[in-house]
Amino acid sequence: MGLEAEIEELEEEIANTPYNKSTEAHIGRLKAKLAEKKEKLEAQQAGSGGGGGYSVKQQGDATVALVGFPSVGKSTLVNALTNADSEVGAYEFTTLDVNPGMLKYRGADIQILDVPGLIEGAAGGRGGGREVLSVIRSTDLIVFVLSAFEIDQYDRLYDELYDNKIRLDTEPPHVRISKKIKGGIDVNTSGDLELDHDTVRQVLREQGYVNADVTIRGNPDVDELVDGVLDNRVYLPSLTVVNKVDLIEPSYVDTVKENLRARDIDPEEDAVFISAHEEKGLDALKERFWDELDLIRVYMDKPGRGVDYDEPLILRRGETVDDALDKLGGDMDERFRFARVTGPSAKHDDQQVGRDHGLEDEDVLRLIVRR
């Protein structure tokens, strides 16, 4: 039996097995085995060659990938947001290569990738999908672009990303494994774990562990446990954009919102409604990019020239003076003595701080360096 047939058989058995405490360990073992088979199939397909894939040089302060089925308006949107010149057409598969554009917003350079339209089976290689997905995995934010008339496409897009090891809007499970010489598999938990310890052992054994100490924090389910054991998933934030709102009747708006809620997408908090063709809603979308990417502006106080408010240093929320030094490059790191900060993160103007001081949006930073 080939790997694809084995995968199909395992998926069918999992689907047909009722989940309860008595079957939990069995399902855990099946899911771990399924993950292993998929890893082998992926390696096998990658080794057999194929297309040349996509080469995109990431530039700027952050990268956003627009994902969606063909003809939902991604090319029109990226052209409206950036200086890109992506071919636009009212037919499927217009975009045959990844097309980057640069959005300049609040002093930041945000690279927007218009990727080829995903189709069902992309994670399995259909339509060059695996190459497209490999580009998506390396971005900072995934934006689902949906037509207002086809909200159900979200389900298939989400599944394709999940099948390609992309986990959205969640934190990695805390699973730490240490191999040992003997003693079997010992399970240590924080006390919140609902999974039976035998389920954990079954999952680890399917991944080749015989003797190991495993420490689990929190309360992951079976799928999250498998993710934690394999430790090769990518965790990214996402945003949903509903396009073509200029074409819907006012009476249809409630239906669109109900379709979003059915997918746990709050239409007020988690979605942005736009018309890429008429360039409506784009200011709100840019604001959401900024927020989802956790970007902040730090204005540099340059000796003899004053504060540069035109070209701020762009960092991520939670980053420090040390991160600023790293981004500035050159010999700043070696010459650094201390810094002075004025702004939201400072207790007072010109507060003297060290490398570990956390910066906030619109801080003014002056570096004191050795000559």
Side-chain angles (χ1 to χ4, degrees):
M1 184 185 294
L3 279 172
E4 290 181 343
E6 291 179 29
I7 287 171
E8 186 176 338
E9 188 176 273
L10 283 167
E11 288 176 334
E12 186 175 341
E13 184 175 356
I14 291 169
N16 292 331
T17 304
Y19 188 92
N20 52 54
K21 209 64 182 173
S22 64
T23 62
E24 181 183 86
H26 176 64
I27 291 176
R29 183 179 63 81
L30 292 176
K31 288 190 171 184
K33 182 179 288 188
L34 176 63
E36 180 193 14
K37 298 292 184 185
K38 286 184 174 181
E39 294 282 323
K40 286 183 178 178
L41 179 62
E42 182 179 329
Q44 187 181 92
Q45 291 173 335
S48 64
Y54 300 90
S55 177
V56 179
K57 181 180 180 181
Q58 293 197 7
Q59 299 176 326
D61 299 296
T63 302
V64 173
L66 305 183
V67 302
F69 275 67
S71 302
V72 295
K74 299 190 311 302
S75 298
T76 303
L77 176 57
V78 77
N79 288 343
L81 288 171
T82 76
N83 58 1
D85 186 20
S86 185
E87 182 184 356
V88 177
Y91 50 89
E92 291 194 350
F93 306 107
T94 304
T95 307
L96 300 176
D97 204 348
V98 176
N99 190 51
M102 193 67 74
L103 166 65
K104 294 185 177 294
Y105 185 67
R106 293 184 179 178
D109 290 328
I110 303 173
Q111 188 179 45
I112 312 292
L113 301 182
D114 169 20
V115 300
L118 289 178
I119 59 174
E120 285 184 275
R126 289 189 60 202
R130 186 172 291 109
E131 291 85 354
V132 175
L133 287 162
S134 70
V135 171
I136 295 170
R137 284 168 60 91
S138 63
T139 60
D140 300 299
L141 173 66
I142 291 177
V143 176
F144 292 96
V145 183
L146 307 174
S147 163
F149 304 99
E150 298 172 300
I151 301 299
D152 63 322
Q153 288 183 345
Y154 176 88
D155 304 328
R156 287 170 283 173
L157 290 167
Y158 185 97
D159 288 345
E160 290 298 337
L161 295 175
Y162 189 93
D163 286 345
N164 196 59
K165 310 185 189 76
I166 297 172
R167 304 293 182 259
L168 300 176
D169 306 313
T170 187
E171 294 294 323
H174 295 277
V175 179
R176 190 175 74 248
I177 303 171
S178 300
K179 288 185 178 180
K180 58 186 182 181
I181 298 174
K182 58 182 180 179
I185 298 174
D186 288 324
V187 182
N188 305 292
T189 71
S190 61
D192 300 324
L193 186 68
E194 294 179 15
L195 288 176
D196 188 83
H197 285 197
D198 188 47
T199 301
V200 177
R201 294 187 185 97
Q202 291 273 27
V203 168
L204 263 69
R205 288 187 188 112
E206 283 297 331
Q207 294 303 316
Y209 291 96
V210 177
N211 301 297
D213 289 322
V214 55
T215 302
I216 302 171
R217 290 171 52 198
N219 186 29
D221 60 22
V222 172
D223 293 306
E224 292 166 336
L225 174 64
V226 172
D227 285 347
V229 172
L230 290 171
D231 194 30
N232 62 353
R233 279 38 176 158
V234 174
Y235 294 81
L236 295 172
S238 75
L239 176 66
T240 299
V241 171
V242 180
N243 191 24
K244 304 183 182 181
V245 296
D246 55 306
L247 301 179
I248 64 175
E249 297 292 333
S251 59
Y252 190 68
V253 173
D254 286 343
T255 299
V256 174
K257 291 183 176 180
E258 287 171 12
N259 288 335
L260 289 169
R261 291 191 189 97
R263 289 156 179 85
D264 292 325
I265 302 170
D266 187 327
E268 313 303 329
E269 300 291 335
D270 304 326
V272 181
F273 295 82
I274 69 164
S275 168
H277 180 70
E278 296 191 358
E279 298 192 4
K280 293 181 178 179
L282 300 190
D283 287 341
L285 180 57
K286 294 173 186 177
E287 177 76 20
R288 287 302 299 273
F289 283 173
W290 180 270
D291 291 340
E292 295 295 334
L293 290 167
D294 272 339
L295 299 177
I296 64 170
R297 295 156 291 183
V298 175
Y299 303 115
M300 301 303 299
D301 187 349
K302 300 178 179 179
R305 288 178 288 173
V307 181
D308 183 355
Y309 289 103
D310 295 325
E311 295 186 11
L313 183 68
I314 303 298
L315 298 174
R316 298 298 178 92
R317 193 170 304 281
E319 290 193 321
T320 65
V321 171
D322 199 46
D323 294 305
L325 291 169
D326 185 58
K327 189 156 189 179
L328 288 167
D331 61 355
M332 283 291 189
D333 186 63
E334 296 174 4
R335 296 170 57 204
F336 177 79
R337 291 173 56 205
F338 60 89
R340 293 195 180 277
V341 177
T342 298
S345 75
K347 295 178 180 177
H348 53 78
D349 287 353
D350 271 348
Q351 180 186 352
Q352 181 173 322
V353 300
R355 291 174 178 269
D356 61 350
H357 178 81
L359 296 166
E360 294 186 23
D361 190 34
E362 298 198 278
D363 274 344
V364 174
L365 175 65
R366 179 154 54 100
L367 300 175
I368 311 301
V369 298
R370 298 180 181 86
R371 295 187 179 278

